[in-house]
Each structure stands twice: as C-alpha cells, then as structure tokens.
Amino acid sequence: DTAVSQTPKYLVTQMGNDKSIKCEQNLGHDTMYWYKQDSKKFLKIMFSYNNKELIINETVPNRFSPKSPDKAHLNLHINSLELGDSAVYFCASSQDPQGAGETQYFGPGTRLLVL
Amino acid sequence: GEDVEQSLFLSVREGDSSVINCTYTDSSSTYLYWYKQEPGAGLQLLTYIFSNMDMKQDQRLTVLLNKKDKHLSLRIADTQTGDSAIYFCAESINDYKLSFGAGTTVTVRA
C-alpha cells in the first residue's frame, strides 16, 4: 500500500565503498525526484526524472548516478562514498511537473552513514 | 535553501495558535507549499497556495501570502502535541524544482 517506498531504510558503510538506494512508486506518476537532507535538516533537490529522462541535475558530483529503468523506479547509485555523503536521502514523485501544482509524495527516507 | 528562509525554532503551548513565517526570493513562483516532517519520517504535504491568492484556509491551517513582500505564513489553530514536527516552506522554481527552506522545528509544550 506504500505510495513511495525506499530501500534500505538505514545504510551504514565504509568510506570508498559503492552503494545503491532503491526507490519505487506505485502511484503511476511520471516524475520522480531525489533529495538530500543534511544534518541541519536542510533539504536540497539532487535529481529530477520525467518519464525516465533526466530533467534536473543540481551540480551533484558525478559519483552519484541515478538510474530509471522504468517510470515507477528511480534508483540512486553512489560510487566511492565520502564522509560528507552521510545524510538522509528522500525519493519523491509527482504526477505532473511541479509547476502544475502537483503534490510531491515523499518516501520515508534512507539514512546513510559513511564511516 | 538560499532562496527560502525560515526561523529555525518555535515553541508553543498546547491549545495556542502557532505561526510559522517564511520569506522567499523568486517572484515568479507559481505555487508555495508547506510540508510537515515528523521525527524519522518523510515529508508530507500540508497545504499549498497559488500565487494569485492571498489566503487559504483548511481546517486548523491558515496560509497567508504577501506577494509584495514575498512573505508566506502558516497558522495552526489550537496547536496539539501531534503538531510537533519540522515544517518546511517551499517555492516552485520551475516545473521540476522546489526550493525548500531550512525548516522550522515546532515544539508543543503542555
């Protein structure tokens, strides 16, 4: 029944490792997003995909590579993890582009800790 | 975010009204939003307002928009303990992007 789901919920890993976070939405939405929330709760968009095509890449290091195998999934792969990557990562989706006033539905977040 | 500013903390007594303020910079923003984040959870849309409106009321929530001053506020009437959360103001930058404030942590005391 979960509208936007993310796995894993918690991820603890060593610096230099490669990890992936998965996101799935069962709302039939066309647009999906990845956000990063830092320790001060500051929330910033990283990527936006519409119909599997990349729309926004907000100066995110190329160690971060989103992959959208289909409209319902937007996964985030991170290479060579760094300490500064520790944060909560939120996936979100909306039916149409945000400018149409569409609500973004957020997943529960993935708490990443890099040691 | 650098485009949206909010005060970081608000403490309010149960039963009183809470007012959370936000200023934004992009005058072309079409929609402005309030999201709520409870501890350990994702963001939940509370309400939004179209830029040609001055006010929107939804049960205990009242949103006021002063477009001239680029000021948005959220009033929660009869604040309850379940209203304790972080509240984020956000503006639509373009069709695919929201810019969020840093969030206001609201603590409701008995």
Side-chain angles (χ1 to χ4, degrees):
Chain A
D1 290 328
T2 305
V4 183
S5 59
Q6 296 179 228
T7 53
K9 190 172 181 180
Y10 298 96
L11 183 55
V12 181
T13 188
Q14 299 284 340
M15 220 167 39
N17 284 350
D18 303 336
K19 291 294 178 185
S20 291
I21 307 172
K22 295 185 177 181
C23 177
E24 177 181 2
Q25 53 94 3
N26 62 7
L27 299 166
H29 287 170
D30 289 335
T31 308
M32 296 184 73
Y33 312 80
W34 274 109
Y35 289 86
K36 179 180 180 181
Q37 186 177 44
D38 63 22
S39 58
K40 295 182 180 177
K41 303 298 183 184
F42 177 58
L43 191 69
K44 189 159 187 177
I45 190 166
M46 300 173 68
F47 300 103
S48 172
Y49 267 72
N50 179 258
N51 279 317
K52 302 196 306 175
E53 289 189 19
L54 179 66
I55 303 298
I56 290 176
N57 178 342
E58 284 290 308
T59 61
V60 178
N62 57 17
R63 297 183 296 105
F64 291 78
S65 52
K67 287 183 172 53
S68 183
D70 54 58
K71 280 196 330 181
H73 296 84
L74 182 62
N75 304 323
L76 185 64
H77 188 75
I78 315 170
N79 290 327
S80 302
L81 277 155
E82 300 176 357
L83 295 177
D85 297 332
S86 295
V88 182
Y89 292 83
F90 287 101
C91 177
S93 73
S94 64
Q95 175 58 52
D96 286 317
Q98 194 63 45
E102 288 292 327
T103 300
Q104 286 191 20
Y105 292 84
F106 281 77
T110 295
R111 285 141 189 85
L112 171 65
L113 178 60
V114 182
L115 302 174
Chain B
E2 58 270 22
D3 299 319
V4 181
E5 293 189 358
Q6 303 175 237
S7 53
L8 293 181
F9 301 99
L10 176 67
S11 178
V12 63
R13 191 173 302 179
E14 191 175 8
D16 288 351
S17 292
S18 309
V19 179
I20 308 167
N21 293 303
C22 167
T23 57
Y24 60 98
T25 55
D26 192 335
S27 57
S28 63
S29 290
T30 310
Y31 291 90
L32 295 127
Y33 303 82
W34 285 104
Y35 280 83
K36 177 183 180 182
Q37 184 181 28
E38 295 180 358
L43 275 73
Q44 170 196 359
L45 179 72
L46 279 181
T47 186
Y48 68 90
I49 189 168
F50 189 47
S51 59
N52 69 353
M53 297 169 65
D54 297 324
M55 186 182 87
K56 180 178 180 181
Q57 186 152 3
D58 183 3
Q59 299 181 338
R60 293 191 297 122
L61 304 179
T62 303
V63 179
L64 295 177
L65 175 60
N66 182 329
K67 206 172 175 186
K68 174 176 167 290
D69 294 337
K70 299 191 189 69
H71 183 265
L72 183 74
S73 68
L74 174 68
R75 178 176 178 269
I76 306 172
D78 187 24
T79 310
Q80 304 297 308
T81 54
D83 295 325
S84 292
I86 303 175
Y87 291 80
F88 290 91
C89 170
E91 60 172 341
S92 56
I93 300 297
N94 56 41
D95 283 354
Y96 294 97
K97 182 179 174 183
L98 288 180
S99 180
F100 285 83
T104 299
T105 299
V106 174
T107 303
V108 182
R109 59 187 193 277

